[in-house]
Amino acid sequence: MKPRGSTRGQLDGGWWPASDDLAAEAPALAGSLREQVGAVSRISYHLDGWPTTRRKLTSDGRLIRLEGFHSMTRDTIVVIGADARRVTLLLVPHSTPGGVARALLRSAARPESTDSAEEILTGNGLQIPRASQARQRWEADGGSLAVR
């Protein structure tokens, strides 16, 4: 997390989950952000970034809504507290090697940073395959989609 008084940019910090199971990872995330947002009520994410997950879970006796959107910035997650305080975090893929993940987290938490998630990820040399990129590679290698 950026320290208090930092330059306000697109990101407030970063998160490197241990797995791709959002429902399993959300309670620890919510607990770690209690000082910044209070009791977490919602976690919003890009739908293409996570496998299908539950829409609600309970952590520490509180309901947390998990809300996926295609309209969100990829590679971010937004955590909203019950009093509407929010943080936007760079989402470092769980499979990212430790040294690279730590460099990404440091970049997202730099006090003067106004970089976007994409700028941080590409600036640190991380290539994240997207479904459309995978399809383009497949088609370039001779695959094709049958259109009828």
Side-chain angles (χ1 to χ4, degrees):
M1 293 297 300
K2 288 183 175 181
R4 289 186 197 269
S6 297
T7 302
R8 186 81 178 136
Q10 296 183 38
L11 301 168
D12 300 300
W15 181 46
W16 181 31
S19 75
D20 68 351
D21 183 348
L22 182 56
E25 300 292 331
L29 176 63
S32 69
L33 293 173
R34 188 170 301 278
E35 183 178 320
Q36 286 81 14
V37 300
V40 171
S41 62
R42 297 175 189 271
I43 297 176
S44 299
Y45 59 95
H46 193 283
L47 282 167
D48 292 340
W50 298 91
T52 303
T53 190
R54 299 184 294 186
R55 296 195 35 86
K56 298 177 186 175
L57 61 94
T58 303
S59 177
D60 292 329
R62 296 195 51 97
L63 177 69
I64 299 175
R65 295 182 187 279
L66 303 177
E67 301 174 325
F69 300 97
H70 284 292
S71 60
M72 279 191 60
T73 302
R74 289 183 183 267
D75 308 311
T76 63
I77 195 155
V78 177
V79 181
I80 304 167
D83 62 356
R85 285 186 289 168
R86 68 176 50 217
V87 293
T88 302
L89 303 174
L90 170 71
L91 177 60
V92 178
H94 77 279
S95 58
T96 305
V100 174
R102 286 185 289 280
L104 293 169
L105 293 171
R106 281 191 301 274
S107 292
R110 281 189 356 257
E112 71 284 357
S113 176
T114 58
D115 292 342
S116 69
E118 183 177 359
E119 290 169 329
I120 290 172
L121 292 170
T122 58
N124 282 279
L126 189 62
Q127 296 294 324
I128 299 176
R130 304 279 187 234
S132 61
Q133 291 173 334
R135 182 179 301 147
Q136 288 169 359
R137 281 195 306 273
W138 175 67
E139 289 178 352
D141 288 339
S144 65
L145 296 175
V147 178
R148 296 179 196 243

